[in-house]
Amino acid sequence: MRMKIRTKIMASAALVVSLSLAVSGFFIYDYARDIIRDQSIKDSRTKLAQISFQLGKIQEQVAKTAEYIVSDEEITDQIYGQPGDSIESEYFRKQAVQEKLGRFVALGNFILNVLIVPPSGETYSNFSGYEDYFADYLKQDWFVKLKDERSAYSEPHSFFYISGKRQVVSYVLKYRPIGVNASADSYLVVDVAYSELSNVFLQTARDFEQIELYSGQGALLYAANEELPAADRAFMARALGPDADYAEDDNRIALADDGMNYGWRQTALLSKQTLFEKINRIFYFYVLIILCGIVASTVVMLPIIVGLTRPLIRLTNAMKRVAVGDLGTTVDIRSGDELEILGGGFNRMVGDLKETIQASVRSEADKRQMQIDLLMAQINPHFLYNALNTVIYLSHAGRSAEAAEVTQALIAILQDTIKTGEGAVRAPLADEKRIVDKYAVIQQTRYPGRFRLVWEVEDGLLSRSVPRMALQPLVENAILHGIVPSDADTGTIALRAYRDGPDLCLEVEDDGLGMTLPAAGWLPRGGAGHERTRGIGLSNIQERLRSHFGARARLEVESEPGRGTLARIRLPWTEPG
């Protein structure tokens, strides 16, 4: 049974509309989910790293205070020297130690108490009259568990402070004083206010379903949610082992961060339901749009298709003849509607085609320049988005000085992008070096201490003309795809310029993650997430090289997994005019 063309068009149109809307909706939804998921993971890792940084500062100050105390000769002489020959002299000896310890406590407003316990069992503190309390204090489980440790932090426990009981975390250091012939160990206990630790988590705890902090001995130091469901707690315990910092199932994402001293470890839990709540509402709305679109397309297209069928067949046949080069073809349509106008327009189009071809040849140069301008414009929005996000983050974090520095660097880069004419295509290497240095200021703020730039350029080459905004995308790729994803604490990005025979070579090399190149001459053509950024940057540079520096100019990429990536731009030493 044969179907009429109008039936075929209706069925095909309904199928195309439904499938295209359904498939596009699925991919848009899946793509948006991946973007939200990846961005949430990156943001969460950044927040955990910020918390680790603040906790590390607290650890460093406590450790330095402890080091100063155990190395203080005056305290050592008073505690381990010859005992006084009277009660009065003993009192003044302990009073001198108390005053000295009080000065150390004053160095950190979060240190509540410092306690020294020599082998004799006598206690010395910045508080006087607490000897009996400290005798019982040192019998508690938290201290007994740490007596055999060289240095460690205890689990949270109570401490009787001036204004009442306070929760503290104690740093316990086992040592033998320098210059004293001691046969047994002494102990230094530094009691840190628990509120100092919990305050670090105040701003970020609400961004997670759960965030926990553990000591090196596995003791729970902090938990944002005391009533975490058992299934979530079991998932975190099972997924985040000693060597794991990421785990994911259908409902949750678990992260860990070990960027602190003394084996401290953070674990955090993200709920996918919370992450995808907004995108799920969009998905349901899109399903409704698909159903409405199918119905509307069927109702609207049916009468239109009936009127279009016959004239369109004649017009199609005429177009086929024109397509094979028969420019003398005409079509006669008398439908009394827009199709008749279309037929007349088609006849005029064929008559004007020869002139159009000639005009298109003349305008090809202008079109090519417009294409290059568009390629240049692809670089700035992505970079501007990242830079402004960094300024927003610094402003919210109260780091106004760094925000001002980033803003000044961004202004300097944007001033360079408004050049026109030849200056919009080429620039001295010295200008490119300045732009890269400004860009590095911005990225150093986003990823503090993660990379360093090393320039290896002779002064004589700084005046050479190179493609404008060619080095910055390569440095960006090295940071985002090489250095940041790698496990190294700090990476190096080397930038070189040298003459190689008839070529001027510009190189950007990193010692980061590296990648596998499928074939020689490979250049990525876009993708999801950061891979899309890499594709825009490399293909953009390649296109500009060919357009403005001749066929010899090219971009080369060399990389191996785990050994970094080298991007090399080759330019003719004598540039084409």
Side-chain angles (χ1 to χ4, degrees):
M1 180 180 178
R2 292 188 177 183
M3 297 176 63
K4 294 183 178 180
I5 187 171
R6 68 186 63 176
T7 305
K8 292 180 179 179
I9 294 176
M10 283 297 304
S12 300
L15 181 62
V16 168
V17 170
S18 59
L19 286 179
S20 61
L21 289 175
V23 172
S24 64
F26 170 78
F27 281 108
I28 291 173
Y29 175 75
D30 188 66
Y31 181 67
R33 279 174 61 96
D34 288 342
I35 291 177
I36 292 175
R37 171 187 167 278
D38 294 342
Q39 189 60 46
S40 296
I41 292 174
K42 291 173 185 175
D43 292 343
S44 298
R45 288 195 181 279
T46 300
K47 292 172 184 175
L48 291 178
Q50 292 168 354
I51 294 173
S52 293
F53 177 78
Q54 295 180 58
L55 292 175
K57 288 295 184 182
I58 295 175
Q59 290 178 324
E60 289 177 8
Q61 186 167 350
V62 171
K64 287 182 179 179
T65 301
E67 181 181 348
Y68 293 151
I69 292 173
V70 300
S71 61
D72 189 282
E73 295 181 358
E74 182 179 344
I75 293 177
T76 301
D77 291 341
Q78 293 288 353
I79 295 177
Y80 300 95
Q82 291 296 327
D85 53 3
S86 66
I87 296 177
E88 182 181 4
S89 61
E90 280 295 296
Y91 170 79
F92 285 112
R93 182 172 65 89
K94 296 197 72 171
Q95 185 70 20
V97 175
Q98 175 189 343
E99 292 178 358
K100 188 72 174 181
L101 293 178
R103 299 192 192 108
F104 284 108
V105 170
L107 295 177
N109 55 4
F110 54 84
I111 298 177
L112 302 182
N113 176 56
V114 174
L115 180 64
I116 298 178
V117 186
S120 64
E122 189 177 8
T123 58
Y124 296 85
S125 169
N126 52 296
F127 293 106
S128 62
Y130 279 67
E131 287 78 4
D132 293 338
Y133 171 74
F134 288 135
D136 294 333
Y137 190 60
L138 298 176
K139 294 177 182 179
Q140 297 178 10
D141 289 342
W142 64 267
F143 182 74
V144 174
K145 292 177 182 178
L146 301 180
K147 288 188 68 175
D148 295 332
E149 299 287 341
R150 172 67 180 84
S151 61
Y153 279 86
S154 73
E155 60 194 44
H157 60 274
S158 297
F159 172 72
F160 188 80
Y161 193 57
I162 298 173
S163 57
K165 287 188 176 182
R166 294 280 299 273
Q167 282 289 103
V168 298
V169 174
S170 297
Y171 173 72
V172 179
L173 174 66
K174 181 171 64 174
Y175 72 101
R176 293 189 181 183
I178 301 173
V180 176
N181 186 17
S183 60
D185 295 317
S186 298
Y187 292 92
L188 172 66
V189 180
V190 180
D191 292 320
V192 180
Y194 180 76
S195 59
E196 188 71 17
L197 300 184
S198 60
N199 288 340
V200 175
F201 294 91
L202 287 180
Q203 293 184 349
T204 56
R206 61 178 177 271
D207 297 327
F208 301 94
E209 294 296 313
Q210 174 68 321
I211 183 168
E212 297 176 346
L213 176 65
Y214 292 89
S215 69
Q217 288 68 41
L220 180 62
L221 300 179
Y222 174 83
N225 184 5
E226 298 292 345
E227 299 179 357
L228 186 69
D232 291 341
R233 187 170 297 280
F235 171 72
M236 292 180 69
R238 181 177 65 255
L240 296 177
D243 298 326
D245 63 354
Y246 173 82
E248 181 177 357
D249 64 6
D250 294 336
N251 303 315
R252 295 155 294 206
I253 298 173
L255 303 172
D257 184 89
D258 300 317
M260 294 161 284
N261 300 321
Y262 301 98
W264 282 20
R265 179 179 175 87
Q266 289 186 87
T267 59
L269 184 69
L270 297 171
S271 170
K272 287 187 177 180
Q273 181 179 0
T274 303
L275 291 181
F276 302 143
E277 183 176 354
K278 292 183 179 180
I279 194 66
N280 285 338
R281 289 200 296 267
I282 296 175
F283 174 74
Y284 298 140
F285 182 71
Y286 201 85
V287 170
L288 180 61
I289 292 177
I290 292 175
L291 297 177
C292 294
I294 295 174
V295 174
S297 62
T298 302
V299 174
V300 173
M301 292 176 64
L302 181 58
I304 298 176
I305 290 174
V306 173
L308 288 177
T309 303
R310 293 188 183 91
L312 280 178
I313 292 176
R314 294 198 297 269
L315 186 60
T316 300
N317 292 332
M319 291 177 65
K320 289 180 179 179
R321 292 193 296 272
V322 173
V324 297
D326 185 4
L327 299 181
T329 300
T330 59
V331 62
D332 184 18
I333 297 177
R334 300 183 182 276
S335 59
D337 54 17
E338 289 82 1
L339 286 175
E340 183 174 339
I341 299 175
L342 182 62
F346 174 80
N347 293 333
R348 289 192 298 273
M349 179 192 69
V350 174
D352 296 340
L353 186 57
K354 294 181 182 179
E355 296 180 12
T356 302
I357 293 175
Q358 295 174 353
S360 66
V361 172
R362 291 191 300 268
S363 65
E364 184 62 27
D366 294 336
K367 291 181 179 180
R368 189 163 186 81
Q369 182 60 45
M370 293 174 62
Q371 180 185 17
I372 297 304
D373 293 341
L374 178 60
L375 288 171
M376 288 292 295
Q378 288 177 332
I379 298 175
N380 295 329
H382 170 74
F383 166 72
L384 184 60
Y385 170 81
N386 283 340
L388 292 178
N389 266 349
T390 301
V391 173
I392 292 172
Y393 163 72
L394 292 174
S395 298
H396 283 308
R399 295 155 62 181
S400 57
E402 294 177 68
E405 183 181 12
V406 171
T407 303
Q408 290 174 353
L410 178 60
I411 291 173
I413 294 175
L414 292 179
Q415 287 175 338
D416 188 77
T417 62
I418 61 176
K419 294 181 179 179
T420 58
E422 185 66 16
V425 176
R426 307 168 188 252
L429 180 56
D431 289 352
E432 287 299 291
K433 180 179 183 297
R434 177 177 57 83
I435 292 300
V436 170
D437 288 338
K438 294 293 184 181
Y439 173 76
V441 170
I442 298 175
Q443 294 293 49
Q444 284 284 12
T445 305
R446 296 185 68 206
Y447 307 106
R450 289 304 309 273
F451 69 93
R452 64 189 185 94
L453 292 183
V454 178
W455 287 93
E456 301 175 12
V457 181
E458 297 180 4
D459 292 341
L461 298 179
L462 292 176
S463 60
R464 294 290 301 181
S465 179
V466 299
R468 193 172 69 84
M469 290 295 286
L471 293 180
Q472 180 270 329
L474 299 180
V475 173
E476 180 177 9
N477 281 341
I479 296 172
L480 298 183
H481 305 291
I483 302 299
V484 172
S486 70
D487 295 330
D489 292 335
T490 302
T492 300
I493 302 174
L495 295 97
R496 309 182 186 95
Y498 59 90
R499 180 173 185 176
D500 184 13
D503 295 331
L504 171 63
C505 293
L506 308 175
E507 290 184 354
V508 176
E509 182 177 14
D510 67 79
D511 58 358
L513 200 62
M515 59 183 175
T516 300
L517 303 182
W522 169 84
L523 280 177
R525 292 295 178 183
H530 286 314
E531 291 301 320
R532 179 170 179 83
T533 302
R534 180 188 297 167
I536 289 176
L538 297 184
S539 59
N540 184 299
I541 295 172
Q542 182 77 306
E543 185 68 20
R544 288 190 285 134
L545 289 175
R546 292 173 180 171
S547 299
H548 294 284
F549 291 82
R552 282 176 49 196
R554 62 188 182 275
L555 174 63
E556 302 171 348
V557 179
E558 301 173 7
S559 183
E560 291 183 18
R563 301 186 63 181
T565 301
L566 170 65
R568 180 186 300 112
I569 296 177
R570 287 190 176 272
L571 304 172
W573 183 258
T574 302
E575 300 174 3

